[in-house]
Amino acid sequence: MEIKTELPQIFDSFAQARQNGFLTMKKIKDSGKGVVGQFCTYTPLEIFMAADLVSVGLCATSDETIPEAEKVLPGNLCPLIKSSYGFAITDKCPYMYFSDLVVGETTCDGKVKMYELLGQIKNVHILELPKRQDTPQAKALWYAELVRLKERVEKDFQVTITDEKLREAIRRRNAERKVLKELYELSTMTPPPVTGLRQLQILFGSQFKFSWEEKIAEIKNAVNSIRQAYEAGERPVSEQAPRILITGCPIGGVTEKVVKVIEDAGAVVVVFENCTGAKQMDRQCKEEGDPLTNIADHYLQIGCAVMTPDTNRFELLDRLCDQFRVDGVVEMTLQACHPYAVEAHTVKMHMQKRNIPYLQLETDYGTADMGQLSTRAGAFVEML
Amino acid sequence: MKKISIGIDCGSAACKGALLREGAFASFCVKPTGWSPKETARQVLEDLLEQTGTVREDAYIVATGYGRVGIDFADKAVTEITCHALGAEYLLPGVRTVIDIGGQDSKVISVKSGKVLSFQMNDKCAAGTGRFLEMSAHRMGVDISGFSALLEAGKSCTLSSMCAVFADSEIVSLLAEGKSREEIAGGIVHSVVSRTISLAARLEAEPPILLTGGLAGLDKLRAALELQMGNPVFTSPLSRFAGAAGAAEWGRQKQR
């Protein structure tokens, strides 16, 4: 396998932030570490951690490379898929560029077919994700898929992943989930000590910290400084601000706009039930017993609209609505994300039964809909 | 607390104003929005003040409509959804559903006692909006009143496209095929109505229903909506002022 350690040719024209991303990744590569890029919360990062690899999320959330992607992909496809593919073919994403292995999962048809195209230019491994979480067959399939991933990683990077290393990885990832959960649970307080935008930026940004020790230290530091400021009387959010839960498709990057319109309208986002938020931090992975089985069980139970039935998502939504005492639920669906868009109706009905106002906002990675979004979000906040 | 409350609803096509004094509307004003929403809104304000002999300092001003963010002289900006609901309650007390077909947005709002329960809005495109109808009328060489006259014939044809841009070329083809303008006008209204119905279908649209917005004056459109909704659809001579009236009412109730 050829390992990329040179910077892309168009490097000089890159904006500062992305250049920093490239330089960080280059430093990692120069230190001899392998890099694995992944798209989805279902990808078991413990396997890469146990192999001493650096893993990074590839959902490049910007519309910058969409025109390039649309030369190949259909226009009315999910922007997340188009954007990720666009970043891969243009060498504009440091994480995609330096990924030695890209892991995709069969979460939706659009992604699956895009991976086939991606496979022509990158080293791609596809995990077959079952659509159920509660049958022995589904569990067996997923376990077998993780065995296959482990073997692929061992072969590609010429390493041996021992049970001991997997156990250590579970322990570390659990610690990470715990501090991130501690961070977002600060917003159970009234008023919350941080805005939703700030919370999201920390959660999203934490995906781009590549040293586990530094990451944990930084998040702990953030939790402490937020607490101290709150105790010192700092109140960045009004006590009257209606409390919003955001659910739906992966959020972050340009889709921060959804949080912005809600908070500009005078509400506060207290919790994210998206992949960046509670969906992946809420539960701990079992530490005793066979580590790979534990990892498989843990990840399979993530509540995503690709699952049927998607019982776990609703269980988590219910719990978060109570714990964070939410006044309204906003669901963000990305254009052409059929699983979430269809399930939105079920979420709406569910919230209606619970008497919690609900609003669905469909968007993409452009900014042309800011006016419409702010009218919808504004009207929703005004009716709470 | 100020005794006078002014609502300015700056839409994409028209800018409407309403002045509320001691619980009653003392004046209304409407102007085409033109290219500068802010400047037009200022003129609407000045007209209202002049007509009622009011000074600016005595009035609390609430802006709404798509131009609301640019109206920097307003004391508060409130979305048109909230304002239409409040305004509709004034025009038709007890109203439960408001259908607002505006210049660039159409919306169906579920209301109770002037409070929004839920709402549906068209997506980014202009399908089913006033703009859709205006562009189509323009293609046939008529303005809204000419369009209204065409509808009197009670004819119709099928327009297969909901999209304003595609409908435009479809109208060109239909005219070339020899379809009459009366038939096409009926087809356009049918398009607007079916688009509105599909929005209404997404919430519990209970009667009584009030039609507001720029197209409320088209009786054939109202009648077609009524037929499809299966319930009476009311309009008011002040329907186009629903947003402005609601904004003024919001100011009366909520100003601090």
Side-chain angles (χ1 to χ4, degrees), chain B residues 166-193:
Chain B
F166 290 137
D168 188 73
S169 56
E170 195 178 354
I171 291 165
V172 172
S173 312
L174 290 169
L175 288 169
E177 279 169 26
K179 282 270 189 292
S180 71
R181 294 196 298 177
E182 286 79 1
E183 288 171 294
I184 298 170
I188 291 163
V189 163
H190 183 77
S191 262
V192 171
V193 167

Side-chain angles (χ1 to χ4, degrees), chain A residues 79-318:
Chain A
L80 190 152
I81 305 178
K82 288 192 289 191
S83 175
S84 331
Y85 183 73
F87 274 104
I89 54 175
T90 54
D91 285 343
K92 281 185 175 174
C93 166
Y95 312 116
M96 178 65 94
Y97 180 82
F98 277 121
S99 285
D100 303 305
L101 177 67
V102 171
V103 177
E105 27 17 69
T106 58
T107 36
C108 79
D109 298 344
K111 275 191 184 177
V112 170
K113 299 315 281 185
M114 183 274 275
Y115 297 147
E116 285 180 14
L117 299 173
L118 194 63
Q120 293 168 13
I121 46 173
K122 302 293 293 186
N123 185 33
V124 173
H125 179 86
I126 297 175
L127 284 169
E128 190 182 342
L129 185 71
K131 296 260 186 281
R132 293 199 66 133
Q133 300 166 303
D134 54 351
T135 62
Q137 291 83 351
K139 287 179 181 172
L141 167 69
W142 186 235
Y143 177 80
E145 283 296 285
L146 295 206
V147 171
R148 206 166 60 82
L149 175 67
K150 174 176 163 282
E151 287 167 0
R152 172 74 178 263
V153 170
E154 288 179 324
K155 180 173 155 279
D156 279 15
F157 294 94
Q158 285 155 22
V159 289
T160 309
I161 299 173
T162 62
D163 279 2
E164 211 32 65
K165 284 188 172 160
L166 280 174
R167 269 190 211 105
E168 173 64 9
I170 292 175
R171 198 188 57 73
R172 287 183 157 205
R173 285 278 295 152
N174 272 345
E176 183 183 330
R177 291 184 191 103
K178 188 165 161 271
V179 286
L180 283 166
K181 185 170 171 162
E182 198 181 327
L183 172 88
Y184 70 69
E185 283 187 343
L186 289 172
S187 288
T188 55
M189 297 195 275
T190 309
V194 284
T195 64
L197 192 60
R198 179 92 187 95
Q199 186 196 124
L200 179 63
Q201 282 163 345
I202 301 174
L203 290 171
F204 189 71
S206 76
Q207 298 177 23
F208 302 96
K209 299 274 176 216
F210 304 110
S211 150
W212 181 83
E213 282 82 6
E214 278 174 35
K215 188 198 286 198
I216 296 292
E218 273 186 45
I219 303 164
K220 278 187 177 159
N221 196 17
V223 172
N224 287 338
S225 61
I226 292 168
R227 261 210 193 105
Q228 276 164 17
Y230 197 78
E231 276 157 22
E234 210 173 280
R235 294 291 181 274
V237 179
S238 148
E239 196 158 340
Q240 270 77 47
R243 304 163 63 87
I244 306 291
L245 173 149
I246 292 191
T247 181
C249 291
I251 191 166
V254 73
T255 46
E256 272 180 14
K257 66 183 175 179
V258 171
V259 183
K260 208 173 165 312
V261 293
I262 293 170
E263 299 201 323
D264 282 351
V268 58
V269 177
V270 283
V271 62
F272 295 87
E273 190 275 322
N274 310 73
C275 282
T276 321
K279 211 186 271 293
Q280 68 160 322
M281 318 302 175
D282 178 63
R283 293 170 305 117
Q284 293 271 297
C285 179
K286 212 175 123 194
E287 294 185 4
E288 315 78 42
D290 176 56
L292 205 58
T293 308
N294 290 343
I295 293 169
D297 288 348
H298 176 80
Y299 280 90
L300 188 60
Q301 295 311 314
I302 292 168
C304 171
V306 297
M307 291 295 170
T308 180
D310 189 13
T311 322
N312 292 352
R313 181 179 178 208
F314 288 87
E315 187 268 324
L316 178 59
L317 274 173
D318 274 342

Side-chain angles (χ1 to χ4, degrees), chain A residues 18-66:
Chain A
R18 201 183 302 151
Q19 239 185 41
N20 290 341
F22 269 112
L23 294 171
T24 309
M25 289 312 279
K26 175 135 175 59
K27 223 182 274 170
I28 288 169
K29 294 306 275 282
D30 288 344
S31 77
K33 282 208 178 195
V35 174
V36 181
Q38 92 277 350
F39 288 99
C40 175
T41 312
Y42 280 112
T43 310
L45 305 186
E46 283 81 352
I47 291 179
F48 316 132
M49 194 181 247
D52 200 24
L53 301 168
V54 165
S55 61
V56 61
L58 291 175
C59 295
T61 51
S62 141
D63 65 346
E64 181 187 341
T65 60
I66 287 181

Side-chain angles (χ1 to χ4, degrees), chain B residues 67-102:
Chain B
R68 68 185 179 280
V69 283
I71 303 177
D72 50 7
F73 56 82
D75 296 296
K76 177 84 188 173
V78 179
T79 66
E80 53 267 40
I81 315 256
T82 299
C83 292
H84 267 272
L86 270 175
E89 175 66 20
Y90 168 80
L91 300 179
L92 182 69
V95 64
R96 291 302 310 277
T97 302
V98 183
I99 297 175
D100 170 42
I101 304 180

Side-chain angles (χ1 to χ4, degrees), chain A residues 348 375-376 379 382-383, chain B residues 68 79 82 117 121-122 202:
Chain A
K348 178 184 169 182
T375 297
R376 283 169 170 80
E382 285 161 8
M383 71 184 240
Chain B
R68 68 185 179 280
T79 66
T82 299
L117 299 180
M121 255 174 104
N122 65 314
R202 295 187 141 259

